[in-house]
Amino acid sequence: MVLHPAAKVREAGQDVTFCCKASGTPAPQKYFWYHNGTLLEGPAQRTSGRLELRGLAPQQAGTYHCKASSEAGAIRSAPAQLTVLAQGQQSCRAEPEPSLVELPSECPQDASGSRFYNVGRCPASPCPRGPAEPGGCGEESGRCCGVRRMELREVPCSGSVLPVKVVAECGCGPCAQPRVLVQGRVTAADTGEPLRFGHIFLGARKVGFTGYQGSFTIEVPPDTRRLVTRFVDGQQRLVDTVKVLPFDRRGGAVYQEVKMLRKKEPVELDGGQSNAIPLGESGGREPVGELVLPAGVFLRPSGEVFNGTVKASVTFVDPRDMATASAASSDLSFANSEGEIVPLRTYGMFAVDFREGDSGAALQAGPVQVRMDAGQVWMAEHLDKMKLWSLNPESGLWEEEGVLRPAGGSRRKREERTFLVGNLEIRERRLFNLDVPEDRRCFVKVRAYSNEKFNPYEQLEGVVVSLINLEPQPGFPSNPRAWGRFDSVVAGPNGACLPAFCDSQRPDAYTALVTATLGGEELEAVASSPKLNPNAVGVAQPYLGKLGYRRSDHEDAALKKTAFQINVATPDPNNVDESNGPVYSYRSLRECEEAPVSANHLRFYRVEVDKYEYNVVPFKESDVTSWTGDYLAWWPNPQEFRACFIKVQLEGPQEYMVRSRNVGGSHPRTRGQLYGLRDSRSVRDPLLDNTSGACVEFKCGGMLFDQSLVDRTLVSIIPQGSCRRTAINGLLRDYLSRHPPLAENNHTGAFSMLAPLDPLGHNYGIYTVTDQNPRLAKEIAIGRCFAGTSDGFSREMRAGEGTAVT
């Protein structure tokens, strides 16, 4: 499906048009349109990917999707929501929704003991188009609910006042048009070696290369619902990897670590004889099966039989080895006869590479046989459903190659095993799979928080939550020795709903391993030992006991705390304790997505000790659409986020909090007005006594939001307590002296500067990076600030390099 219908808002009586388009071989000939899952009748709906509805009535609101079909099969589009408003009904309420920000620690608490202040927000919901605006097929970039008016308030704080801008009124206006990006890094799964200058494909189209360190940035094309990418190692040391990458349609960048499997060392075969290559024999395991290559099966691209020496590399992805799960291709999905994308459960994947022994030219293979050991299948019902699949690198979907049937005839003398046998031809470099379609599906609700207080208004957005189905711990009843589908979902303002296999008869039949990352940083799961706290986990008893929640360090405290495992037990519709999440039946996706934060859910949180940020103009870093154009905005451009940090060395017996105070320095509209505050606690140096260091963010100098004039922010670095300034890096001092005006530094307990406009290197003690994701920009900049030199933070302190202020 290359074009999906887009969500629309209309008033009653207006017209609307939905469009979809599919591609394939042969080309789709028929299109079917559905409203709330019911087929719409009429000849116009059968031949075109275009649906026109005129003179809308309220009952026509709901979801619309299309299905395209040909002789080869069918594919369904993603659903599009149609909202039909009554005449004169407002889709955007003037009164803002509540949105809380945390005030600095010195601000007085209110009567309830809270330091949180309501600054308001406007939901980024679409508004109906005007009567004169044209209607079309794609996304409507016209009008969205947004901030119409802001007011400046003043909050008393320790003898001074803290300015804060609050949303006073919402209204319909131009929609934000943020860029949608996926960024990340591609490395070898075994060594961590980066994929240098690897090829990147979107479908059949090459879109670029990875960098020297394996980094990449992909701009997501409009109307994309499923981002299928393929990474190819030009040196052919790593297996081609197809990934379905999550992204945030609201804008900004999502960060993803991509792992690639190393190709297995080739073995030499005689092409004129029959050969067999085992599948999954590494690690001392019994092979899952074998690939049988008859004599004369190897072919040159011209079709000529090749009977010489063949170098054959067959790389097997073994689901019995969890270490290879992150490097597996795709999300284990296929399109069923109704065109719905549904999951598979894999018993193993393999990639083949056949080459002539002398020239190294690529070879194809005629009919080969795949034999699978039936003893590796622990659920008898799977023996009748096992199929052989190949991965389409353009769609990221698995396509059926054939059925695996019990082997006929007598066994070989040495064999005591029963085999399932299937046949295929290898005409192109694809990944092959031994899989079973699975229809017992549920959704798992997960939320991420900025800390372990789990306040509803401190949820994180833009978090990539991943779920892998796997078999349970030893001692549980047996189930398939195979992964299930692995999915990643980007958390929005109401968390994430992840698809998973589930079972209503045996709670422990299907288990799931769940992880979460933000900008490449792993978030922490709630502890399960020494005592399980249902209030912290987010799921009430007795359902929590049925789920068997266990964090990854449950039995070994040395392990990471960044994953949890649960039994995916289908909720019992007759049990009130299981009707409130966190597991929802497959037909209850909307209920899962719209569940209130008070409903049961599973949790991750960010471990960030003693770090605080305050913006006069509120902005949620995980939601680019919350940006408001204002001279006092910390981030002046929603398409680019430039993070700046300054390194501070402190000499004293403990760790200290360091604050940066950032005000307008040279722009006539902002001079002397506060942009925001940043607090960060110093980190003790492990090698130097009485020494610690901090990397403190400050507002970069540069163009403000109107792009007319620059502002060199006046930055003050203020440690807590009775600190006094003893030294300033000489290079930084010389640089600032050549770029007047100088900031006055009469106060010996602080350091002030007008932020430089030029990017500075680490020898100045200033670190800056630009990115389309505010969180990622900050992570990279602060990472450089702390790392600095190859020997780390301590060497910088000892040598005096990179330390801006002492």
Side-chain angles (χ1 to χ4, degrees):
M1 188 64 64
V2 295
L3 176 64
H4 296 260
K8 305 287 177 73
V9 178
R10 294 290 186 270
E11 288 187 359
Q14 288 185 327
D15 303 334
V16 71
T17 300
F18 291 112
C19 294
C20 73
K21 183 180 179 181
S23 65
T25 305
Q29 299 297 320
K30 294 182 180 179
Y31 286 86
F32 304 87
W33 283 94
Y34 296 78
H35 175 221
N36 292 335
T38 301
L39 178 65
L40 295 175
E41 297 294 342
Q45 278 73 267
R46 298 300 180 90
T47 58
S48 170
R50 186 181 182 95
L51 175 66
E52 296 181 355
L53 303 174
R54 302 195 177 280
L56 287 170
Q59 60 267 28
Q60 290 179 282
T63 60
Y64 288 81
H65 78 268
C66 81
K67 180 176 76 172
S69 68
S70 72
E71 300 167 18
I75 190 70
R76 283 174 55 172
S77 74
Q81 184 72 30
L82 173 62
T83 302
V84 180
L85 305 172
Q87 290 285 349
Q89 180 184 352
Q90 295 295 318
S91 62
C92 178
R93 295 179 56 193
E95 182 182 354
E97 295 180 350
S99 179
L100 302 179
V101 297
E102 185 179 3
L103 299 175
S105 58
E106 65 269 22
C107 294
Q109 297 183 349
D110 61 19
S112 66
S114 172
R115 289 204 323 269
F116 288 90
Y117 193 86
N118 182 16
V119 297
R121 65 180 289 270
C122 300
S125 54
C127 295
R129 65 181 178 89
E133 295 179 59
C137 288
E139 298 281 357
E140 298 189 344
S141 60
R143 291 150 45 84
C144 293
C145 188
V147 176
R148 175 167 288 175
R149 184 168 56 88
M150 299 190 79
E151 293 179 353
L152 183 66
R153 306 269 176 85
E154 293 183 338
V155 178
C157 283
S158 300
S160 62
V161 292
L162 184 72
V164 56
K165 287 206 166 183
V166 302
V167 178
E169 183 183 358
C170 301
C172 290
C175 295
Q177 295 296 313
R179 295 171 68 197
V180 179
L181 302 172
V182 173
Q183 297 177 318
R185 189 165 176 259
V186 188
T187 56
D190 54 351
T191 63
E193 172 191 359
L195 175 66
R196 294 188 170 119
F197 313 117
H199 306 277
I200 306 173
F201 292 84
L202 291 184
R205 181 169 59 96
K206 184 189 288 188
V207 295
F209 298 88
T210 59
Y212 185 76
Q213 294 298 330
S215 58
F216 67 90
T217 297
I218 298 171
E219 185 160 359
V220 181
D223 299 320
T224 300
R225 295 295 188 278
R226 199 164 178 268
L227 183 65
V228 180
T229 57
R230 178 162 53 104
F231 299 92
V232 177
D233 179 10
Q235 299 182 40
Q236 293 300 308
R237 299 165 304 162
L238 305 174
V239 177
D240 294 2
T241 299
V242 177
K243 291 288 186 182
V244 181
L245 297 177
F247 61 93
D248 191 343
R249 297 187 66 207
R250 297 170 303 169
V254 170
Y255 186 87
Q256 191 79 3
E257 291 280 354
V258 176
K259 304 293 183 183
M260 296 182 71
L261 283 175
R262 190 172 301 279
K263 282 187 177 179
K264 192 169 183 180
E265 286 296 320
V267 296
E268 290 193 352
L269 307 176
D270 184 347
Q273 296 185 2
S274 178
N275 297 278
I277 299 177
L279 302 174
E281 83 287 2
S282 61
R285 305 181 187 90
E286 282 289 324
V288 171
E290 61 185 6
L291 183 65
V292 179
L293 304 160
V297 76
F298 296 106
L299 306 170
R300 289 191 170 107
S302 64
E304 176 190 356
V305 175
F306 179 79
N307 284 324
T309 300
V310 177
K311 288 188 175 180
S313 170
V314 179
T315 307
F316 189 74
V317 183
D318 196 330
R320 297 171 296 181
D321 180 6
M322 276 301 299
T324 60
S326 62
S329 276
S330 86
D331 57 357
L332 276 176
S333 300
F334 76 105
N336 65 12
S337 59
E338 291 299 313
E340 183 182 8
I341 296 178
V342 290
L344 294 166
R345 190 173 187 89
T346 184
Y347 281 81
M349 308 178 192
F350 61 95
V352 299
D353 187 18
F354 301 136
R355 297 186 179 272
E356 295 184 21
D358 295 331
S359 68
L363 293 170
Q364 299 174 350
V368 302
Q369 195 176 79
V370 178
R371 290 159 50 90
M372 181 179 182
D373 182 1
Q376 298 294 330
V377 182
W378 291 5
M379 287 184 78
E381 60 265 35
H382 281 188
L383 292 171
D384 297 329
K385 298 194 292 183
M386 190 72 64
K387 295 182 180 181
L388 189 61
W389 308 76
S390 68
L391 180 62
N392 185 324
E394 294 185 25
S395 68
L397 296 174
W398 293 90
E399 299 173 350
E400 186 176 334
E401 291 281 345
V403 178
L404 289 167
R405 298 295 189 199
S410 58
R411 301 174 185 165
R412 301 177 197 169
K413 288 184 180 180
R414 62 181 178 85
E415 288 179 352
E416 303 256 341
R417 298 175 292 172
T418 301
F419 283 90
L420 303 176
V421 178
N423 298 290
L424 62 89
E425 292 189 17
I426 303 172
R427 297 294 185 184
E428 57 183 322
R429 196 164 64 203
R430 281 197 175 196
L431 190 66
F432 300 94
N433 201 348
L434 305 165
D435 261 18
V436 173
E438 187 59 84
D439 55 8
R440 288 177 284 186
R441 293 168 280 161
C442 289
F443 287 96
V444 178
K445 185 64 175 244
V446 179
R447 299 178 188 269
Y449 294 84
S450 60
N451 55 58
E452 55 185 323
K453 296 177 183 177
F454 306 119
N455 291 320
Y457 38 82
E458 292 185 288
Q459 289 189 72
L460 295 173
E461 301 176 40
V463 175
V464 178
V465 188
S466 301
L467 182 148
I468 303 174
N469 282 108
L470 43 85
E471 60 181 300
Q473 296 291 323
F476 284 77
S478 64
N479 77 304
R481 302 172 69 186
W483 302 319
R485 175 176 179 163
F486 19 89
D487 265 282
S488 294
V489 176
V490 178
N494 203 34
C497 292
L498 292 110
F501 298 136
C502 57
D503 193 279
S504 58
Q505 303 300 317
R506 295 184 301 166
D508 56 0
Y510 295 92
T511 63
L513 182 75
V514 186
T515 59
T517 60
L518 179 63
E521 170 195 354
E522 294 179 297
L523 303 190
E524 196 159 298
V526 178
S528 59
S529 62
K531 185 177 180 180
L532 191 64
N533 181 355
N535 291 329
V537 175
V539 181
Q541 294 285 20
Y543 198 20
L544 180 60
K546 188 175 180 179
L547 296 178
Y549 177 91
R550 296 158 66 91
R551 194 168 71 176
S552 45
D553 66 338
H554 184 82
E555 294 179 342
D556 185 352
L559 295 178
K560 290 174 124 181
K561 305 173 182 179
T562 53
F564 66 79
Q565 185 173 325
I566 60 168
N567 302 323
V568 191
T570 306
D572 182 352
N574 299 316
N575 188 337
V576 67
D577 294 324
E578 300 180 13
S579 64
N580 198 30
V583 182
Y584 295 82
S585 67
Y586 191 70
R587 299 301 174 191
S588 301
L589 174 58
R590 189 164 184 177
E591 182 184 346
C592 177
E593 291 178 335
E594 297 177 356
V597 72
S598 58
N600 288 336
H601 58 273
L602 297 156
R603 294 168 171 170
F604 287 93
Y605 62 95
R606 194 157 193 251
V607 181
E608 193 172 83
V609 180
D610 292 325
K611 194 171 181 180
Y612 173 75
E613 301 175 352
Y614 174 77
N615 297 333
V616 169
V617 181
F619 171 68
K620 295 187 74 170
E621 292 181 357
S622 54
D623 182 4
V624 180
T625 62
S626 69
W627 180 85
T628 303
D630 193 286
Y631 282 104
L632 295 179
W634 184 274
W635 305 99
N637 185 349
Q639 304 292 357
E640 179 180 271
F641 299 97
R642 184 162 169 248
C644 293
F645 285 81
I646 186 168
K647 180 171 284 188
V648 183
Q649 177 178 322
L650 298 106
E651 297 176 1
Q654 62 190 50
E655 297 176 338
Y656 300 87
M657 190 69 75
V658 184
R659 165 169 291 183
S660 76
R661 179 179 172 84
N662 305 266
V663 301
S666 59
H667 194 287
R669 293 287 297 269
T670 64
R671 189 177 294 118
Q673 297 186 67
L674 184 68
Y675 288 116
L677 309 172
R678 296 293 188 268
D679 292 345
S680 183
R681 184 172 293 277
S682 63
V683 177
R684 191 179 302 278
D685 188 285
L687 302 179
L688 293 177
D689 293 335
N690 293 327
T691 303
S692 63
C695 287
V696 186
E697 185 184 4
F698 64 89
K699 186 182 185 305
C700 304
M703 286 282 187
L704 295 190
F705 91 100
D706 60 3
Q707 298 294 297
S708 64
L709 288 174
V710 300
D711 182 27
R712 294 187 63 196
T713 313
L714 178 58
V715 182
S716 298
I717 305 299
I718 311 163
Q720 69 173 15
S722 56
C723 296
R724 61 185 178 87
R725 188 180 70 250
T726 59
I728 300 171
N729 178 291
L731 290 171
L732 175 64
R733 185 173 58 246
D734 293 343
Y735 180 89
L736 295 177
S737 68
R738 294 194 303 272
H739 294 76
L742 292 171
E744 293 185 7
N745 271 293
N746 296 329
H747 195 295
T748 59
F751 166 77
S752 296
M753 70 175 180
L754 283 164
L757 300 177
D758 299 1
L760 302 182
H762 72 271
N763 285 337
Y764 293 93
I766 290 179
Y767 299 77
T768 178
V769 70
T770 300
D771 202 272
Q772 284 79 14
N773 182 339
R775 175 64 65 184
L776 193 57
K778 293 164 69 168
E779 295 293 344
I780 295 172
I782 196 171
R784 290 178 182 171
C785 184
F786 270 110
T789 68
S790 59
D791 289 344
F793 196 33
S794 299
R795 176 179 170 180
E796 282 201 349
M797 288 188 169
R798 293 194 301 276
E801 290 184 1
T803 305
V805 187
T806 300

